[in-house]
Amino acid sequence: MSGQGELSQRRTVLERQWARVVPELKASRRPLGAGFALRHEVTESWARSVETVDPARDSAPVSSRGVHALWSRSPLYEPVNTLADEVRSVADDAGFVAAVTDEDGTILWTCGGRVMRHRAERVNFAPGGCWGEPAMGTNALSLALRTGLPSTVFSAEHLVAALHGWVCYCAPIHGPDGRVLGVLDLSTTWDRSHPLAMSTVRMMASAVEGALRSRAGQAAGTGGGGRLEVTCLGSEKVMRDGAAVHLPPRQLEILTLLALEPKGFSPERLRAALYGERPVSASTFKAEVSHLRRALGGRVTTRQYELTVPVVCDAVEVLRALERGDTTTAVELYRGPLLPYSEAPGILDWREQIAVAVREAVLASTRPELVLRYGKRAPYDAEVHAHALRMLGPGDPRRGIAAGRLTTALRS
């Protein structure tokens, strides 16, 4: 956890900026060139929010719609209830309160320890509370809904002063069609700010999205009987309905290719993706597919090879994150090359495509923390380390990390 002194200093600086900037925004209704402590997205949201939200209000307004009916009809109802014990455990253990909203920012469901829930209820961070930007100004939920990207809002980055004692971590929940259905939020007091909270909330939102895709697949008749979770970036793991599935390398390659290309392969194309020009008999190839089919309970079709069970794959999630411009999630999920020990031609092609896509997104990023995080996994990439160094100010203590990595990379 960040040092309390550092957090306290950051909060003090933000409070001073808030006291200077918010009154000017109320007068001018336009973003200002605020000091170094304020993010551009925060001041822009403040400028929009002051038109409809009083920064002195003490709690969120209450929705005029019946929240029980909203929640029972929500597409998030069953996936969240399925994962509720896991979310509740995280919230209780870490001293957070968790919440799920609809697409408008109305809270539909919360959980957490008694003390944190009581504090949250004081500002109506509870079912029925309206937390969209027009109702409650700048907060992590409203920013995530507006951008479709994960968001953190700390202390006096909130427009409403009553929220300055909080830090909130939020990730949007996308439906199978890409539409934002709501957000999942973890909130706590500012002094409990934790660097792993954002990773946790993104993972939980991703699990809800996986459950949504699974249900959609079952409804469409494309698969029942559970789902698969495939980890293939930097490490290798396959889970089926929560239980580990141990696959030999060749079958793992087949499964990864089928996850990356859900429309499937003809036998000839899959064989080429696995073996290239190597003289491998048709019987050997078909035996590998048959072994995988048995391991998955028959969930691989014949003739045109494709999976008939919903799959959550980290490589697929990285590509989806990049497609929607979410570099933060892509960098978090990209833990290394695709099946690093595989030499199958199809895997080599996907490995390069994913690696290049993530690297280019990092080099285009203006967030030094993302570049530094990626740079930790790319010690010899001088261009990445130089990019991080350019973005870090002269007094930023992280310059030493970037400079050291760049020196090592240039010597290699």
Side-chain angles (χ1 to χ4, degrees):
M1 184 177 290
S2 302
Q4 291 300 304
E6 181 181 337
L7 286 173
S8 180
Q9 182 181 17
R10 182 185 175 198
R11 187 183 187 217
T12 299
V13 171
L14 287 169
E15 289 280 13
R16 290 172 180 167
Q17 295 289 314
W18 184 93
R20 176 175 69 85
V21 175
V22 169
E24 296 182 35
L25 286 173
K26 290 179 69 176
S28 65
R29 299 291 198 272
R30 61 184 177 81
L32 302 176
F36 69 91
L38 293 172
R39 292 178 287 153
H40 185 60
E41 63 181 341
V42 169
T43 55
E44 283 195 329
S45 177
W46 283 0
R48 291 189 300 267
S49 302
V50 292
E51 298 186 14
T52 58
V53 178
D54 181 359
R57 71 173 306 139
D58 57 5
S59 63
V62 179
S63 174
S64 59
R65 300 175 294 170
V67 68
H68 177 74
L70 283 177
W71 181 222
S72 63
R73 293 196 300 264
S74 169
L76 302 179
Y77 178 81
E78 291 190 10
V80 170
N81 278 337
T82 299
L83 299 164
D85 287 344
E86 180 181 347
V87 177
R88 189 174 289 108
S89 176
V90 169
D92 289 347
D93 291 347
F96 282 74
V97 59
V100 173
T101 79
D102 65 8
E103 68 275 14
D104 296 321
T106 300
I107 294 180
L108 303 177
W109 178 88
T110 62
C111 72
R114 181 180 58 82
V115 173
M116 287 306 301
R117 282 192 293 111
H118 181 64
R119 288 181 176 177
E121 287 166 0
R122 293 175 187 169
V123 292
N124 200 22
F125 192 81
C130 298
W131 286 78
E133 191 175 82
M136 201 54 179
T138 308
N139 61 81
L141 299 88
S142 66
L143 286 180
L145 285 171
R146 185 177 181 87
T147 66
L149 301 174
S151 178
T152 302
V153 174
F154 175 81
S155 185
E157 289 182 323
H158 291 94
L159 176 73
V160 174
L163 306 178
H164 289 187
W166 291 83
V167 59
C168 304
Y169 305 89
C170 200
I173 300 171
H174 297 85
D177 61 356
R179 183 170 62 92
V180 175
L181 302 177
V183 297
L184 193 152
D185 177 277
L186 286 177
S187 294
T188 189
T189 53
W190 67 270
D191 55 321
R192 298 179 67 89
S193 177
H194 199 293
L196 294 180
M198 178 53 81
S199 301
T200 301
V201 79
R202 284 203 301 267
M203 289 175 60
M204 292 193 300
S206 180
V208 174
E209 291 176 341
L212 287 166
R213 288 194 296 273
S214 174
R215 302 185 74 83
Q218 293 175 23
T222 57
R227 68 169 185 170
L228 291 174
E229 298 177 40
V230 181
T231 300
C232 51
L233 293 175
S235 60
E236 303 166 358
K237 183 173 68 174
V238 178
M239 304 289 289
R240 181 185 173 199
D241 295 335
V245 178
H246 301 287
L247 298 176
R250 188 64 73 192
Q251 293 170 37
L252 182 59
E253 290 169 344
I254 297 171
L255 176 58
T256 300
L257 288 169
L258 293 177
L260 284 163
E261 301 194 40
K263 292 184 178 179
F265 289 78
S266 66
E268 296 77 13
R269 183 165 169 261
L270 181 58
R271 183 175 174 182
L274 290 172
Y275 304 107
E277 299 298 324
R278 290 175 53 198
V280 175
S281 68
S283 60
T284 298
F285 163 64
K286 290 180 179 179
E288 294 286 8
V289 177
S290 295
H291 291 322
L292 175 63
R293 185 181 292 114
R294 282 197 294 273
L296 302 183
R299 303 301 179 182
V300 180
T301 58
T302 58
R303 298 184 182 179
Q304 174 77 6
Y305 297 131
E306 58 185 278
L307 295 169
T308 62
V309 61
V311 182
V312 176
C313 174
D314 56 353
V316 175
E317 295 303 316
V318 165
L319 293 171
R320 284 177 174 157
L322 292 174
E323 286 174 357
R324 61 178 184 261
D326 184 0
T327 305
T328 300
T329 297
V331 171
E332 180 67 30
L333 293 176
Y334 186 75
R335 300 182 182 90
L338 179 73
L339 298 184
Y341 299 107
S342 173
E343 296 183 359
I347 296 295
L348 293 176
D349 289 345
W350 274 109
R351 182 188 300 160
E352 181 179 17
Q353 178 180 331
I354 295 169
V356 169
V358 174
R359 183 177 184 272
E360 288 300 310
V362 168
L363 290 173
S365 174
T366 58
R367 297 180 59 188
E369 65 273 16
L370 292 184
V371 185
L372 286 169
R373 186 181 304 168
Y374 176 84
K376 186 176 181 180
R377 304 189 188 107
Y380 303 111
D381 196 326
E383 187 176 358
V384 168
H385 306 319
H387 180 47
L389 201 57
R390 284 193 297 270
M391 287 189 291
L392 296 170
D396 195 313
R398 297 173 294 178
R399 283 185 64 85
I401 298 174
R405 290 174 179 172
L406 178 58
T407 300
T408 300
L410 291 174
R411 285 177 180 172
S412 62

